[in-house]
Amino acid sequence: MIREVVKDILFLEQKSEPANKEDAGVINDLIDTLRANLEHCVGMAANMIGVKKRILVFSAGNIIVPMVNPVILKKEDSYETEESCLSLIGSRKTTRYETIEVEYLDKNFNKHKQVFTGFTAQIIQHEVDHFEGIII
C-alpha cells in the first residue's frame, strides 16, 4: 500500500526501534511508496511513512532492495556532499563514506553482510541516519 510521506520534523527526530517479523507488512508498504516516488526519491526509511522501525528500502536500477535492522559495521574514505530528502524541503551538507560494510536482514529475515560503494552506500547511510532521528 502506498503511504503518505511524513514531513513532521518532531516525529522524524525520534529514534526507531528494531523491526521483527510482525513488521513484514511495513516492508511491502515501503517498497510500494518508494516505487510511487521514484521520480524524485531513491531510498526511504520506515519513519518516512509513519513507522518507527529500523527498515529501509533503496532502488538499485529496476530493483528495490529492502534492509531490516541494518547496521553499518565499517566506513571508509569520507567525503562531503549535499543531500535532499523527500520528507524535507531543500538540501543539506553532510559527511558520507565511499565504502561501507553492512549487516542486515532481507525481507525474509535472512542475515546478510555486504559491502556497498558509491551512491548506493550514500543512500544507505542517509536512511540509517533516519533511524537515529538524524535529519539530512
Side-chain angles (χ1 to χ4, degrees):
M1 174 173 69
I2 298 170
R3 300 246 203 131
E4 187 174 333
V5 175
V6 172
K7 298 181 185 289
D8 178 354
I9 300 297
L10 294 176
F11 181 84
L12 294 170
E13 288 178 335
Q14 298 175 39
K15 290 191 176 189
S16 296
E17 302 170 1
N20 56 50
K21 290 183 179 181
E22 285 98 43
D23 300 311
V26 175
I27 298 168
N28 294 324
D29 289 353
L30 264 175
I31 291 169
D32 291 346
T33 306
L34 178 57
R35 190 168 278 123
N37 287 282
L38 278 175
E39 188 175 302
H40 37 278
C41 185
V42 292
M44 296 187 86
N47 69 345
M48 293 175 68
I49 61 168
V51 180
K52 291 187 288 186
K53 294 289 185 162
R54 298 178 77 85
I55 303 170
L56 67 82
V57 295
F58 66 90
S59 81
N62 293 330
I63 300 168
I64 295 180
V65 179
M67 291 183 159
V68 178
N69 299 329
V71 175
I72 298 174
L73 303 172
K74 292 181 188 174
K75 303 175 186 180
E76 296 175 0
D77 302 323
S78 68
Y79 64 96
E80 300 298 314
T81 189
E82 264 191 34
E83 296 176 351
S84 59
C85 181
L86 195 58
S87 290
L88 305 170
I89 297 170
S91 61
R92 288 146 193 83
K93 292 183 180 185
T94 189
T95 300
R96 294 293 182 217
Y97 295 85
E98 178 65 30
T99 303
I100 59 172
E101 182 177 38
V102 183
E103 188 173 85
Y104 65 96
L105 303 174
D106 63 23
K107 74 181 285 180
N108 298 314
F109 290 80
N110 297 312
K111 189 181 255 188
H112 299 271
K113 189 188 287 188
Q114 192 171 349
V115 173
F116 296 91
T117 61
F119 190 53
T120 301
Q122 183 177 342
I123 298 166
I124 294 167
Q125 290 168 81
H126 178 101
E127 304 313 331
V128 168
D129 276 355
H130 270 289
F131 300 154
E132 299 304 320
I134 299 168
I135 299 174
I136 300 293

